[in-house]
Amino acid sequence: MRFALFVLGIAFAVILMFVQLGFRNALLDSNTQLHDKLRCDLVLVSPNRQAIAMAETFPRDRLDQARVPGVAEVHPMYVDNAFGRLRDASPNDADRGPSRGIRSIGVDPDAHLLDLPELDPRSKTADALRTPNTVLFDRRTKRDPDRPGQTLFGPLADGAETELSKRRVQVVGSFTIGTDFTSDGTLVMSDRTFLDVLRRPMTLSASPAARVDVGLIRLAPGSELLQMKRKVQDALTDGGKTPDPDVEVLTVEEFKERERTFWLNNTPIGFAFGFGTFMGFAVGVVICYQILSGDVTDHLPQYATLKAVGYGNGYLAWVVLQESLILAVLGFVVGLGVSWAAYEGLTASTGMPLRMTADRIAWVFVATVVMCAASGLIALIGLLRADPADVF
């Protein structure tokens, strides 16, 4: 029973580290889920748009400038996190929930710009999306805890009618991306519907298509990625003569890394979860030290007997370190099992992608071994100083 309690104490620290790391990486992974779906080679984006949720655009003319030799296609992608308000279109006001902000994405349904089977130009959903005022919804949209079977935005389902920014739209299908820290759900629609519903009311004096959120570039077969990136950037900056360009060229991986860097370095969330992981390690050191120092104290007469009959401090140290390593391995196994189940439950309930990766398992295992070994070494101090005569 005592040994089981020791193992559970170590497992608690392991679970704490796994959960903190899980939330930290889910934060980063959830905010790059859209980036992972992009079907392009290069991305055009405003230098001020450090995160996809920011409302920083650039002139549409830049798309034409980017059509240099070696570029096969250039397409605009519209992303809105601010103006799109979705509300249940039920005729009964009592059944209608409040309007909520939802991420809206507008793409050409004939270009297959997102790696979603529902946007394959040959699919029925893509064909239906060509009809004005039609949308697809994310199947992982957050659920309403007060209304079973419904999302936070009402009963979204194929064929349902809903209200986007006070305009009636019809749901013609669904897809899967997932939520993140800035959006509880996502709608995908044609670029025509996006501009008509979300941009035209906001740009009364200009063309709604005059500004672009993200430009997606596909290269011709055989083109070298980094070479084409420099070539497109030169075309946009007139060979480097434009000192402060209003558009930047990135690879998809650079676009993802930019998003991750923003959330890690420019928000308190990255620091908070990093500090939480450190606190899990510190708590584990304290727990393990209390376990080992108490055990050493309880068995001090036995250790003193070993010292009296000739066993040196090195042997006694190895005994205590063995105990700490056994606790580390068994505590880690128990903590890993509980954490894995917690990841599955949290992913299902929050929609955030908590993934148990090999790198994370290895990192936490090493941290657990170091934590227990360090605690064992601290607990040894009193033992190594003990005089057998004083003990007896």
Side-chain angles (χ1 to χ4, degrees), residues 89-129:
S90 172
N92 186 357
D93 288 339
D95 296 334
R96 301 179 69 182
S99 63
R100 295 177 179 271
I102 190 168
R103 178 170 62 187
S104 302
I105 300 173
V107 291
D108 183 353
D110 295 317
H112 202 183
L113 298 174
L114 298 177
D115 189 18
L116 300 170
E118 295 82 4
L119 287 181
D120 188 319
R122 298 165 295 183
S123 66
K124 293 182 179 180
T125 49
D127 185 58
L129 211 59

Side-chain angles (χ1 to χ4, degrees), residues 277-287 371:
T277 304
F278 169 77
M279 288 303 298
F281 179 85
V283 167
V285 170
V286 173
I287 292 175
M371 173 182 74

Side-chain angles (χ1 to χ4, degrees), residues 31 40 53 207 232 238 244 269-270 278 281 379-380:
N31 283 287
C40 64
S207 169
V232 173
D238 192 19
D244 296 311
I269 300 176
F278 169 77
F281 179 85
L380 276 171

Side-chain angles (χ1 to χ4, degrees), residues 368-383:
T368 305
V369 171
V370 171
M371 173 182 74
C372 291
S375 302
L377 292 174
I378 297 172
L380 276 171
I381 296 175
L383 172 62

Side-chain angles (χ1 to χ4, degrees), residues 1 9 23 55 72 80 90 109 113 121 156 164 166 174 222 231 236 259 277 291 337 347 373 375 381 385 390:
M1 181 62 69
F23 275 121
D80 172 78
S90 172
L113 298 174
L156 294 179
L164 177 63
K166 300 181 180 181
S174 58
K231 192 173 181 179
L236 294 170
E259 186 86 19
T277 304
I291 290 172
T347 298
S375 302
I381 296 175
R385 291 176 178 175
D390 293 337

Side-chain angles (χ1 to χ4, degrees), residues 103-312:
R103 178 170 62 187
S104 302
I105 300 173
V107 291
D108 183 353
D110 295 317
H112 202 183
L113 298 174
L114 298 177
D115 189 18
L116 300 170
E118 295 82 4
L119 287 181
D120 188 319
R122 298 165 295 183
S123 66
K124 293 182 179 180
T125 49
D127 185 58
L129 211 59
R130 296 182 181 96
T131 303
N133 298 336
T134 56
V135 300
L136 306 179
F137 79 97
D138 189 354
R139 286 185 285 267
R140 292 181 180 170
T141 296
K142 285 187 178 179
R143 299 290 162 177
D144 190 338
D146 299 324
R147 295 186 291 177
Q150 294 191 23
T151 70
L152 290 175
F153 308 94
L156 294 179
D158 293 359
E161 280 196 353
T162 188
E163 189 179 274
L164 177 63
S165 295
K166 300 181 180 181
R167 291 280 299 274
R168 288 288 182 118
V169 294
Q170 184 175 17
V171 178
V172 294
S174 58
F175 59 93
T176 300
I177 291 182
T179 60
D180 56 37
F181 274 75
T182 60
S183 60
D184 294 325
T186 302
L187 295 178
V188 170
M189 61 202 75
S190 69
D191 49 354
R192 176 183 173 185
T193 296
F194 183 98
L195 295 173
D196 189 45
V197 174
L198 295 173
R199 283 287 167 84
R200 195 177 302 278
M202 306 302 297
T203 55
L204 299 178
S205 60
S207 169
R211 307 288 297 184
V212 174
D213 291 280
V214 181
L216 306 181
I217 299 176
R218 289 173 177 162
L219 302 179
S223 299
E224 202 279 321
L225 182 63
L226 296 181
Q227 181 180 357
M228 287 303 302
K229 175 189 171 182
R230 291 190 294 268
K231 192 173 181 179
V232 173
Q233 189 70 64
D234 286 342
L236 294 170
T237 59
D238 192 19
K241 296 179 182 178
T242 304
D244 296 311
D246 56 4
V247 66
E248 190 172 359
V249 185
L250 304 172
T251 65
V252 176
E253 285 302 315
E254 289 172 342
F255 193 35
K256 287 175 58 179
E257 188 58 31
R258 185 177 186 164
E259 186 86 19
R260 292 170 63 91
T261 301
F262 171 81
W263 285 100
L264 274 177
N265 299 337
N266 298 295
T267 67
I269 300 176
F271 171 79
F273 287 121
F275 184 74
T277 304
F278 169 77
M279 288 303 298
F281 179 85
V283 167
V285 170
V286 173
I287 292 175
C288 193
Y289 169 73
Q290 293 292 338
I291 290 172
L292 293 174
S293 63
D295 191 65
V296 167
T297 301
D298 291 342
H299 295 88
L300 201 56
Q302 288 83 359
Y303 285 116
T305 300
L306 291 173
K307 291 184 73 172
V309 299
Y311 285 97

